[in-house]
Amino acid sequence: MRPDSSVVTETIAAPNHDARRGGARPEILLLHYTGMESGATALERLSGEEAQVSSHYFVEEDGRIVQLVPEERRAWHAGVSWWRGRDDVNSRSIGIEIVNPGHEHGYRAFPAAQIDAVIRLCRDCVARWAIPARNVLGHSDVAPTRKEDPGELFPWDQLFRSGVGHWTEPAKATGGRFLTLGDRGQPVEAYQGLLAAYGYLQEINGTFDEATRSNTFAFQRHFRPSRVDGIADMGSITTLHRLLTSLPTLG
Ligand SMILES: [Zn+2]
């Protein structure tokens, strides 16, 4: 296999991939953590046949980048997922697995060398495929009820400062008015409208239900990581406002 990117260190041809459906092209860059005890076990799983999963890229903690699936093919990393009106995220994305034990096996900070490598890889993919900033996402953004990777320790702010993704300075987590599970009414409806406008799969029904809470968790992990509790406090809602008003007009 010929690597698609000059930043690739090594290639391993993984067997699990198929054609992108309906002629889709990569328009989303989807970031994951591996969520397994070791990088070696995760690489074995993603490059083997049995687990029926794969990703285009795999980034080791020391910054080595392994390509497993050619970008023109559909890798199997997103599962049931949705963003900005589209499902089958696998057909529309490039998937990057980043070694980290994850919340179940001792979640820890991502080493600097690894993040440098992720940034180099993302910049390269975004440039070659013209991927919009707001479509550089975490797995939890597109599958909020099932997934929490890459999680609140992932430095989205640093990526943004390096020209990757969309982000704004988060508003402080504060006391005062908030929306939480079971709340109903117009403020909930307005908040749901903001989540939906940004791209989350959010029904606007005026009830802060489990789905609204899952989206709130996902939103906080990505954009307001200092407090991830599934409660839409004013800081969280203000941050979401700032994101929407700072969206690039194109893409
Ligand atoms: Zn994932």
Side-chain angles (χ1 to χ4, degrees):
M1 180 172 65
R2 222 178 130 258
D4 286 306
S5 166
S6 60
V7 305
V8 167
T9 320
E10 183 189 346
T11 59
I12 298 173
N16 292 324
H17 54 80
D18 53 6
R20 295 183 181 275
R21 291 172 192 160
R25 288 161 51 92
E27 57 191 52
I28 290 174
L29 197 53
L30 197 64
L31 309 191
H32 305 258
Y33 65 44
T34 50
M36 295 183 76
E37 274 162 30
S38 78
T41 320
L43 185 57
E44 210 175 285
R45 184 164 187 271
L46 289 160
S47 60
E49 188 158 14
E50 199 184 328
Q52 299 283 293
V53 293
S54 61
S55 64
H56 296 93
Y57 295 102
F58 182 91
V59 183
E60 304 268 13
E61 288 180 300
D62 64 6
R64 280 175 300 140
I65 301 173
V66 186
Q67 183 165 10
L68 303 173
V69 173
E71 287 178 0
E72 65 167 349
R73 301 284 292 171
R74 177 180 178 271
W76 303 350
H77 52 96
V80 176
S81 49
W82 198 96
W83 187 251
R84 290 176 73 189
R86 308 267 183 103
D87 60 6
D88 188 14
V89 169
N90 280 339
S91 278
R92 311 174 191 290
S93 67
I94 290 173
I96 301 176
E97 287 279 358
I98 303 162
V99 173
N100 188 295
H103 293 86
E104 277 180 39
H105 299 283
Y107 191 40
R108 59 188 184 221
F110 295 84
Q114 186 181 35
I115 292 303
D116 287 348
V118 168
I119 289 170
R120 273 184 279 126
L121 178 59
C122 287
R123 288 172 72 142
D124 186 65
C125 292
V126 161
R128 282 184 295 105
W129 291 100
I131 293 172
R134 66 188 291 194
N135 282 3
V136 179
L137 300 165
H139 199 184
S140 55
D141 291 311
V142 303
T145 60
R146 301 185 299 116
K147 296 292 175 181
E148 48 190 19
D149 60 312
E152 62 280 2
L153 295 179
F154 189 75
W156 292 105
D157 54 341
Q158 191 185 337
L159 266 71
F160 178 71
R161 287 194 298 271
S162 307
V164 177
H166 181 224
W167 194 81
T168 58
E169 194 60 43
K172 269 212 182 83
T174 49
R177 277 178 51 76
F178 60 86
L179 302 170
T180 191
L181 196 62
D183 285 353
R184 284 163 190 273
Q186 202 282 325
V188 175
E189 207 173 295
Y191 171 61
Q192 290 174 327
L194 298 178
L195 286 169
Y198 196 70
Y200 290 92
L201 174 55
Q202 178 63 61
E203 194 188 339
I204 301 168
N205 58 16
T207 299
F208 200 113
D209 50 15
E210 287 292 350
T212 310
R213 188 162 77 144
S214 296
N215 281 332
T216 303
F217 269 112
F219 172 77
Q220 291 172 334
R221 284 188 205 290
H222 190 153
F223 297 106
R224 212 284 304 272
S226 64
R227 192 194 290 171
V228 179
D229 59 5
I231 295 169
D233 60 282
M234 281 317 292
S236 200
I237 296 172
T238 304
T239 307
L240 180 50
H241 263 290
R242 282 183 190 171
L243 278 170
L244 283 163
T245 51
S246 66
L247 274 176
T249 45
L250 292 174

